Amino acid sequence: MSAAPVIAIDGPTASGKGTVAQRVAAALGWHYLDSGALYRVVALLALEEGVDPGDAAGLAALARRLQPRFDGERISLDGREVTEDIRREDVGAMASRIAVHAPLRAALLELQKGFRRPPGLVADGRDMGTVVFPDAVLKVFLTASVEARAQRRHKQLNEKGFPSNIAILLQDLRARDERDSGRSAAPLRPAEDACQLDSSDLCIEQVVALILRWYGER
Ligand code: CDP
């Protein structure tokens, strides 16, 4: 029996991957993997347990004992709900720092592959098409200019009632882009067979429709 099909959606921070991937999964009736959430869960535990962000072996050990439960948008860990906690800014910053370690990435590999179940999976992250699901039926590399991404994040934060500053957001996005693209372990880059999609001037609906069309054409 052949494995369930995967659509891989990779791209930089704040490119809209998460929302797009969730909607594509809902439209197809497929499962959804937010791989960034796994890095965030490890980051949260590392912060709480005082594991140093440079301690690759300690972080990998944390990741190996990870048994997160995904229930729709809710994520829990040993019966404790962590959905909101993993979205904190300090957790996101820690996730970006620890994601550079190859042993940690290796420790999360099987966990991620386990999400592949019939009728199919839409997975979003940085290395879905290059490392985790190289045989994905469709690989999308979703980008947007750093300015467009900063504007989107600004709007999102304001809607949640958090004040934010565009200049600081721009600085933060550039730093994360650099860490994601510059690391030696699974750097952020489009798979050779990925379809590139610049969403700077597109709305979510247009991006989702385009991806569904590409999938339909396969
Ligand atoms: O904060 P942002 O929305 O960009 O991130 P996320 O998708 O929630 O992922 C958190 C962090 O995990 C990112 O900063 C990435 O560096 C890292 N990550 C990764 O290295 N590989 C993945 N497949 C997913 C996330």
Side-chain angles (χ1 to χ4, degrees):
M1 205 181 87
S2 60
V6 176
I7 295 179
I9 304 183
D10 289 305
T13 189
S15 57
K17 304 178 303 290
T19 311
V20 165
Q22 260 171 303
R23 292 204 193 177
V24 170
L28 294 170
W30 287 11
H31 301 281
Y32 165 59
L33 166 64
D34 170 6
S35 62
L38 299 177
Y39 288 88
R40 284 172 176 269
V41 168
V42 177
L44 176 67
L45 287 179
L47 285 170
E48 289 180 349
E49 299 186 12
V51 179
D52 190 275
D55 178 4
L59 292 163
L62 267 190
R64 274 192 295 271
R65 54 165 238 253
L66 212 63
Q67 287 189 313
R69 268 187 57 107
F70 285 77
D71 183 11
E73 294 191 0
R74 319 305 296 171
I75 303 174
S76 58
L77 211 51
D78 304 324
R80 166 191 165 203
E81 165 124 25
V82 294
T83 317
E84 271 87 41
D85 278 344
I86 63 165
R87 298 296 154 199
R88 288 184 347 225
E89 281 301 306
D90 61 328
V91 176
M94 181 72 161
S96 161
R97 290 179 68 188
I98 65 175
V100 302
H101 299 302
L104 166 63
R105 306 195 68 88
L108 288 177
L109 204 54
E110 288 311 307
L111 188 61
Q112 295 177 86
K113 290 185 189 224
F115 283 81
R116 182 176 201 166
R117 290 189 302 267
L121 174 71
V122 182
D124 92 63
R126 304 294 191 282
D127 60 347
M128 299 297 100
T130 49
V131 177
V132 185
F133 303 111
D135 61 339
V137 55
L138 173 64
K139 300 177 185 178
V140 178
F141 195 77
L142 186 63
T143 54
S145 68
V146 70
E147 291 79 16
R149 290 183 280 134
Q151 287 295 348
R152 286 179 195 163
R153 182 140 288 178
H154 185 60
K155 188 164 161 259
Q156 205 177 39
L157 287 168
N158 281 356
E159 280 167 3
K160 285 190 195 161
F162 298 122
S164 68
N165 172 304
I166 286 275
I168 294 175
L169 285 176
L170 270 171
Q171 220 175 36
D172 180 59
L173 289 181
R174 289 200 175 102
R176 284 200 200 195
D177 283 355
E178 216 171 280
R179 261 202 304 268
D180 279 338
S181 313
R183 68 185 177 215
S184 57
L188 174 66
R189 60 171 176 79
E192 266 173 31
D193 48 351
C195 303
Q196 303 231 20
L197 210 177
D198 184 333
S199 72
S200 304
D201 301 316
L202 300 176
C203 67
I204 297 274
E205 288 72 24
Q206 290 172 308
V207 175
V208 171
L210 198 53
I211 294 175
L212 288 170
R213 203 182 80 207
W214 284 340
Y215 174 65
E217 289 168 357
R218 299 272 142 157

